[in-house]
């Protein structure tokens, strides 16, 4: 497995030329890096005008590895080749390094870059990326990988310290300014001019070799210069890349590898989701929930993004008003903050009539209310981060269980609680910083036995449980909450405005049928429909166009499997499909609908025609696009099961085909889609008519562009 590293952008508040003077003092050896024993210059080139300086060094490293491993490997030192390309005209330094020792067994590539800050020409930015691929190493592959990663992360931490050390050294010597490169005066000799031009071309060609070579090795091209001309600045806008100081200020202290995971997952979202992506704090929460395993974090995050889009969770605080019953009888609310600056949520569960709330509102309304509480918690975390000047990404929950009894163990109420826990765990990971459970009665162990299996291990470790008045003693509430904000019902001095709860009047109870219809309404408010696609049974929808040059827009997510998306046109309407007993036309069907419109006797080219090239969409992709219609009539949007093509050269299946077939079980795919027809006068190549594009969290793109060749546009997000 190839291990990769991508650093954030580190900013030195010093001019580029001064940083270069400090950097050169690291050679031929650096006492601040004990493993860096020595270096020899192998090749060196300097252009005639002095703007380009390319130097290649052979570096000798003493790796901190077990003596037995060194003896088995038969080496005491490891050699690396480092090639530096300094362009004083553009004020950039590209550094490329690779291992010479064991290059047939281990492949290590590193690329670093110093550039001028895009917003302040007197500051310098540094960025680096690296990859490690261990092919074989005498059966010690895992050990070597751990040693390599440990050594590398150790040196990353020292990198900035070393530059700053030499900057102080220069200052002590009275060197606080290094003039910029200026072109030499031009001589009238044509021969000299020609020679200089030739040198510049040669030097430019040599400078380009470095980023091109790095790209071939699979390193991140974002940190590299443009191969066709002058290198592009490494640092972009704050939305483009992450600055190391920004990470520390708003996200907290992360290890170099954790920073790398955050940056790589964020890059993946930017490259594949083509628009609005979660905030950095929330990306980090998903990474922490999966111990910084990028693949696992990416999987649960994509599922959460799809869920948020389908149920329009992004709008919940602005568009949904809790019923009056909840406002009167739900005994919970926000109450100041704890000693760490986390927002504090107080829940008087023992005073709450869970049975009455479920009978009066239903499970879905309670779930939606809890979602609104979590969304408010995210907002409060952002506010407290600004107020306290340090990263705050979670909240503290104080649960008072006084009054808890067997009534709270009513089966439908426990079922609703488990459902809420399941949804919150999946979509709001690492948002609970601490849970203080106070005045736990004897019945509490029964409730805990029921709900604890549904709570993540990491979350369970944040629970502190106090029986009786134990919370008033040492290690109790005062360790986590300031005395002046302890609620009055816990013998504190602060008036708490959380509703007291109480029994919900039975006159507010509703019948099971009423609750079922209400639950249906809550979750069918989504503009999206879901559909199942089977092998041999595509899902199709019909759109009738009266005016030519109308615009059909679509937005869909491939939730499971791989599909092929097609658009057809027909002058005659297909026969309406018959409704099946499974509710094929109900958008709330748990399995999604499956409707087929194109008659099997219809022939492509005679009865209907294809107006767009087929688009293959992989699982997890989000696709937005539009088609400008040329003719009136009937347009059919089709999602079809994608079968992997067999290998043409052999009858044996390819490994990729086998793996893909294993991933798509039972030949079933699932899509979630939304379509809309817009008049051409209202369409300007944008998707602003789609409600989802307004989301600050969704994975949709804010805009698409129209292709003049096919009168369509499609954007794919993986």
């Amino acid at each position: 497995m190839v291990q990769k590293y991508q650093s954030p952008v580190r900013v030195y508040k010093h001019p580029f030329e001064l940083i270069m003077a400090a950097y050169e003092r690291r050679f031929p050896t650096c006492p601040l890096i004990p493993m860096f024993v020595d270096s020899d210059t192998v090749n060196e080139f300097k252009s005639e005008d002095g703007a380009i300086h390319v130097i290649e060094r052979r570096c000798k490293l003493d790796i901190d590895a077990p003596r037995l491993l060194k003896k088995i490997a038969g080496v005491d030192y490891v050699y690396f080749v480092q090639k530096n390309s300094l362009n004083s005209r553009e004020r950039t330094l590209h550094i490329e390094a690779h291992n010479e020792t064991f290059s047939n067994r281990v492949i290590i590539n590193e690329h670093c870059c110093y550039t001028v800050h895009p917003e302040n020409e007197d500051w310098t930015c540094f960025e680096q990326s690296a990859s490690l691929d261990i092919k074989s190493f005498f059966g010690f592959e895992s050990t070597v990988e751990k040693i390599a990663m440990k050594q590398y992360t150790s040196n990353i931490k020292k990198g900035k310290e070393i530059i700053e050390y030499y900057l102080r050294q220069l200052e002590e010597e009275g060197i606080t300014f290094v003039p910029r490169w200026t072109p030499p005066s031009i001589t009238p000799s044509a021969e000299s001019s020609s020679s200089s031009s030739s040198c510049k071309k040669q030097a430019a060609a040599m400078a380009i070799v470095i980023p091109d070579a790095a790209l071939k090795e699979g390193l991140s091209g974002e940190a590299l210069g443009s191969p066709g001309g002058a290198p592009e600045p490494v640092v972009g806008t704050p939305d483009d890349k992450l600055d190391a100081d920004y990470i520390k200020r708003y996200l907290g202290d992360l290890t170099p590898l954790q920073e790398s995971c955050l940056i790589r997952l964020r890059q993946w979202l930017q490259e594949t989701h083509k628009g609005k992506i979660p905030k950095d704090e929330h990306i980090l929460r998903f990474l922490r929930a999966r111990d910084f395993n990028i693949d696992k974090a990416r999987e649960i995050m994509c599922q959460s993004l799809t869920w948020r889009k389908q149920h329009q969770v992004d709008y919940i605080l602005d568009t949904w008003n809790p019923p009056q019953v909840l406002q009167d009888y739900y005994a919970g609310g926000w109450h100041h903050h704890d000693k760490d600056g986390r927002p504090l949520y107080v829940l008087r569960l023992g005073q709450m009539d869970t049975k009455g709330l479920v009978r009066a509102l239903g499970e879905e309304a309670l779930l939606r209310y809890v979602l609104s509480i979590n969304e408010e918690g995210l907002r409060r975390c952002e506010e407290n981060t600004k107020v306290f000047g340090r990263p705050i990404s979670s909240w503290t929950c104080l649960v008072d269980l006084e009054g808890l009894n067997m009534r709270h163990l009513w089966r439908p109420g426990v079922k609703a609680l488990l459902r809420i826990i399941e949804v919150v765990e999946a979509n709001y990971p690492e948002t609970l910083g601490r849970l203080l459970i106070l005045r736990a009665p004897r019945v509490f162990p029964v409730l805990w036995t029921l709900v604890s299996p549904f709570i993540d291990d990491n979350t369970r470790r944040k629970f502190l449980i106090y029986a009786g008045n134990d919370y008033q003693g040492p290690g109790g509430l005062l360790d986590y909450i300031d005395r002046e904000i302890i609620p009055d019902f816990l013998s504190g001095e602060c008036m708490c405005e959380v509703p007291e709860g109480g029994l919900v009047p039975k006159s507010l109870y509703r019948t099971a049928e009423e609750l079922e219809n209400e639950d249906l309404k809550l979750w069918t408010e989504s503009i999206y429909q879901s559909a199942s696609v089977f092998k041999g049974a595509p899902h199709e929808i019909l759109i009738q166009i009266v005016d030519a040059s109308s615009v059909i827009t679509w937005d869909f997510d491939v939730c499971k499997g791989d599909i092929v998306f097609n658009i057809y046109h027909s002058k005659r309407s297909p026969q309406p499909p018959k409704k099946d007993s499974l509710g094929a036309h109900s958008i709330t069907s748990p399995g999604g609908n499956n409707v087929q419109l194109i008659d099997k006797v219809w022939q492509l080219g005679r009865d209907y025609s294809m107006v767009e090239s087929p688009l293959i969409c992989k699982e997890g992709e989000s696709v937005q696009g539009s088609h400008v219609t040329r003719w009136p009539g009937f347009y059919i949007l089709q999602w079809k099961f994608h079968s992997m093509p067999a290998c043409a050269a052999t009858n044996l299946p390819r490994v990729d085909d086998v793996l893909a077939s294993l991933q798509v079980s039972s030949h079933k795919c699932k899509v979630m889609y939304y379509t809309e027809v817009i008049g051409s006068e209202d369409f300007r190549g944008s998707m602003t008519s789609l409600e989802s594009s307004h989301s600050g969290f969704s994975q949709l793109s804010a805009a698409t562009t129209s292709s003049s060749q096919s009168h369509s546009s499609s954007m794919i997000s993986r």
Side-chain angles (χ1 to χ4, degrees):
M1 180 179 176
V2 179
Q3 295 285 351
K4 292 186 178 182
Y5 170 78
Q6 175 65 55
S7 77
V9 178
R10 307 194 186 278
V11 179
Y12 298 95
K13 297 181 180 180
H14 299 279
F16 175 80
E17 289 72 22
L18 193 61
I19 295 295
M20 291 300 99
Y23 174 78
E24 283 301 321
R25 296 202 169 201
R26 296 177 52 169
F27 303 100
T29 185
C30 179
L32 298 178
I33 310 178
M35 65 179 292
F36 186 22
V37 179
D38 196 11
S39 65
D40 299 317
T41 300
V42 179
N43 291 306
E44 186 171 7
F45 168 82
K46 201 165 188 178
S47 65
E48 209 171 275
D49 61 1
I52 304 296
H53 186 192
V54 181
I55 184 168
E56 189 172 333
R57 297 183 177 95
R58 189 169 184 261
C59 303
K60 182 180 180 180
L61 307 181
D62 183 10
I63 303 295
D64 183 16
R67 186 170 183 82
L68 176 61
L69 186 59
K70 287 186 175 181
K71 191 171 182 180
I72 292 173
V75 296
D76 290 322
Y77 300 101
V78 174
Y79 290 90
F80 274 72
V81 175
Q82 185 191 71
K83 191 173 185 178
N84 294 0
S85 178
L86 174 65
N87 188 328
S88 299
R89 182 186 294 106
E90 301 293 340
R91 304 178 76 196
T92 62
L93 172 66
H94 288 281
I95 306 167
E96 185 189 48
H98 65 272
N99 62 306
E100 184 181 85
T101 308
F102 301 120
S103 58
N104 60 331
R105 294 180 177 273
V106 180
I107 301 173
I108 302 174
N109 288 287
E110 181 186 44
H111 183 266
C112 307
C113 191
Y114 288 89
T115 58
V116 178
H117 194 285
E119 297 175 2
N120 190 331
E121 62 178 14
D122 291 328
W123 290 359
T124 306
C125 298
F126 172 76
E127 193 173 7
Q128 69 188 117
S129 59
S131 65
L132 167 68
D133 186 7
I134 301 176
K135 304 292 185 183
S136 64
F137 204 85
F138 313 106
F140 290 91
E141 291 80 13
S142 178
T143 303
V144 171
E145 182 179 295
K146 290 178 182 177
I147 292 172
M149 297 302 290
K150 181 181 178 181
Q151 296 275 315
Y152 193 71
T153 53
S154 175
N155 290 331
I156 289 169
K157 291 180 180 179
K158 291 181 180 177
K160 191 170 184 178
E161 298 173 10
I162 293 169
I163 292 293
E164 290 174 345
Y165 168 81
Y166 286 120
L167 285 171
R168 288 192 298 269
Q169 194 179 85
L170 286 168
E171 187 177 358
E172 291 169 2
E173 297 173 9
I175 303 173
T176 57
F177 174 76
V178 177
R180 296 185 188 180
W181 174 88
T182 54
S185 57
I186 302 174
T187 62
S189 168
E191 182 180 346
S192 174
S193 175
S194 174
S195 173
S196 174
S197 175
S198 175
C199 284
K200 287 180 181 178
K201 289 180 180 178
Q202 180 185 0
M206 291 188 68
I208 291 169
V209 167
I210 293 175
D212 282 353
L215 283 171
K216 288 176 183 175
E217 295 295 344
L219 297 180
S220 172
E222 191 170 328
L224 308 178
S226 172
E232 296 288 341
V234 170
V235 186
T237 63
D239 292 334
D240 182 28
K241 292 193 178 183
L242 294 184
D243 180 279
D245 294 334
Y246 161 82
I247 290 177
K248 188 172 183 179
R249 166 65 177 82
Y250 292 99
L251 305 179
D253 290 318
L254 303 178
T255 68
L257 292 182
Q258 288 174 344
E259 287 178 340
S260 176
C261 289
L262 171 62
I263 291 165
R264 287 165 56 200
L265 183 53
R266 189 176 184 270
Q267 278 180 349
W268 180 84
L269 287 167
Q270 287 175 326
E271 292 167 2
T272 59
H273 283 66
K274 304 293 183 187
K276 302 291 185 180
I277 63 172
K279 294 180 179 178
D280 299 323
E281 303 93 301
H282 212 57
I283 298 175
L284 190 57
R285 290 185 182 104
F286 282 95
L287 282 167
R288 283 178 171 147
R290 291 299 179 265
D291 296 323
F292 286 87
N293 182 309
I294 290 183
D295 293 333
K296 291 181 179 179
R298 179 167 51 204
E299 180 181 357
I300 61 172
M301 177 179 286
C302 288
Q303 291 172 355
S304 179
L305 287 171
T306 302
W307 171 82
R308 291 183 72 91
K309 183 197 290 189
Q310 183 174 13
H311 300 302
Q312 302 183 76
V313 180
D314 301 323
Y315 308 117
I316 197 167
L317 291 179
D318 300 324
T319 61
W320 187 69
N321 293 317
Q324 192 61 43
V325 177
L326 278 173
Q327 298 180 41
D328 294 338
Y329 295 99
Y330 190 91
W334 294 99
H335 179 76
H336 300 284
H337 55 79
D338 68 5
K339 287 187 174 181
D340 295 322
R342 296 190 185 105
L344 177 63
Y345 189 83
V346 175
L347 180 64
R348 303 186 67 179
L349 185 60
Q351 303 299 313
M352 195 156 62
D353 180 11
T354 53
K355 179 177 181 179
L357 288 173
V358 173
R359 291 289 301 272
L361 296 168
E363 181 180 319
E364 300 299 336
L366 278 175
L367 173 59
R368 181 161 288 203
Y369 189 56
V370 173
L371 296 183
S372 70
I373 293 171
N374 280 270
E375 289 297 306
E376 175 67 17
L378 294 177
R379 188 185 63 80
R380 287 175 178 260
C381 284
E382 289 183 27
E383 291 179 354
N384 285 19
T385 296
K386 297 174 183 176
V387 170
F388 293 99
R390 62 177 182 272
I392 294 171
S393 61
S394 58
W395 52 82
T396 292
C397 187
L398 187 156
V399 180
D400 179 23
L401 295 183
E402 185 181 52
L404 189 78
N405 53 43
M406 293 303 293
R407 179 183 176 87
H408 292 86
L409 300 181
W410 180 57
R411 186 177 180 84
V414 173
K415 175 176 172 288
L417 177 61
L418 296 180
R419 167 87 187 287
I420 290 170
I421 291 174
E422 182 183 20
V423 172
V424 171
E425 283 279 302
N427 298 285
Y428 299 92
E430 297 298 313
T431 52
L432 181 66
R434 185 180 293 117
L435 180 65
L436 303 170
I437 300 177
L438 311 184
R439 302 197 281 195
R442 291 183 178 180
V443 74
F444 173 71
V446 180
L447 180 62
W448 179 248
T449 302
L450 292 172
V451 302
S452 61
F454 295 87
I455 301 173
D456 181 75
D457 289 339
N458 290 334
T459 305
R460 263 188 279 181
R461 284 193 283 268
K462 301 171 185 175
F463 284 33
L464 295 171
I465 303 172
Y466 301 90
N469 293 323
D470 291 350
Y471 68 93
Q472 297 177 346
L477 207 54
L478 283 174
D479 284 11
Y480 307 103
I481 301 174
D482 291 327
R483 183 182 300 274
E484 56 268 21
I485 65 169
I486 292 181
D488 52 345
F489 63 84
L490 293 174
S491 305
E493 301 175 357
C494 185
M495 290 297 295
C496 185
E497 297 180 359
V498 172
E500 295 184 0
L503 294 176
V504 177
K506 291 187 177 181
S507 60
L508 298 177
Y509 285 12
R510 300 163 77 180
T511 65
E513 184 178 351
E514 288 175 329
L515 290 175
E516 185 178 350
N517 291 334
E518 182 66 21
D519 289 351
L520 189 64
K521 178 185 174 184
L522 281 172
W523 291 116
T524 55
E525 288 175 0
S526 171
I527 59 175
Y528 293 89
Q529 302 185 37
S530 59
S532 296
V533 179
F534 304 93
K535 192 170 185 179
H539 176 69
E540 297 161 345
I541 62 173
L542 182 67
I543 297 176
Q544 184 175 3
I545 298 296
V546 178
D547 299 322
S549 298
S550 296
V551 183
I552 301 173
T553 62
W554 58 82
D555 169 19
F556 64 87
D557 287 81
V558 185
C559 304
K560 178 183 178 183
D562 299 343
I563 59 100
V564 179
F565 179 62
N566 291 302
I567 306 177
Y568 300 104
H569 172 263
S570 176
K571 293 181 180 179
R572 58 192 179 106
S573 173
Q575 292 296 319
K578 296 180 180 179
K579 291 188 177 182
D580 56 30
S581 58
L582 297 177
H585 298 276
S586 170
I587 65 173
T588 59
S589 174
N593 28 333
N594 179 265
V595 178
Q596 298 166 54
L597 299 169
I598 299 177
D599 199 303
K600 292 183 179 180
V601 300
W602 278 21
Q603 292 184 12
L604 184 62
R606 186 192 69 183
D607 300 291
Y608 65 108
S609 59
M610 182 179 291
V611 296
E612 286 286 345
S613 299
L615 183 65
I616 298 175
C617 308
K618 302 292 184 180
E619 181 175 323
E621 290 183 355
S622 179
V623 182
Q624 303 89 40
S626 57
H627 174 81
V628 181
T629 61
R630 295 181 179 179
W631 317 280
F634 300 91
Y635 287 81
I636 299 171
L637 274 58
Q638 180 194 74
W639 291 268
K640 185 172 66 174
F641 182 88
H642 176 56
S643 301
M644 295 295 292
C647 185
T650 174
N651 292 327
L652 295 175
R654 296 178 300 173
V655 174
D656 291 345
D657 296 343
V658 174
L659 293 176
S661 65
L662 291 175
Q663 292 174 353
V664 184
S665 58
S666 71
H667 302 296
K668 177 182 177 181
C669 303
K670 187 175 181 181
V671 294
M672 186 180 72
Y673 65 90
Y674 171 70
T675 63
E676 185 177 356
V677 178
I678 307 172
S680 57
E681 66 278 4
D682 300 322
F683 182 76
R684 297 179 180 85
S686 72
M687 293 284 285
T688 52
S689 64
L690 295 181
E691 292 183 29
S692 54
S693 69
H694 298 295
S695 166
F697 193 95
S698 74
Q699 55 187 318
L700 293 182
S701 169
T704 62
T705 56
S706 181
S707 165
S708 59
Q709 181 178 0
S710 64
H711 295 266
S712 71
S713 65
S714 296
M715 295 178 66
I716 305 175
S717 305
R718 289 179 176 81

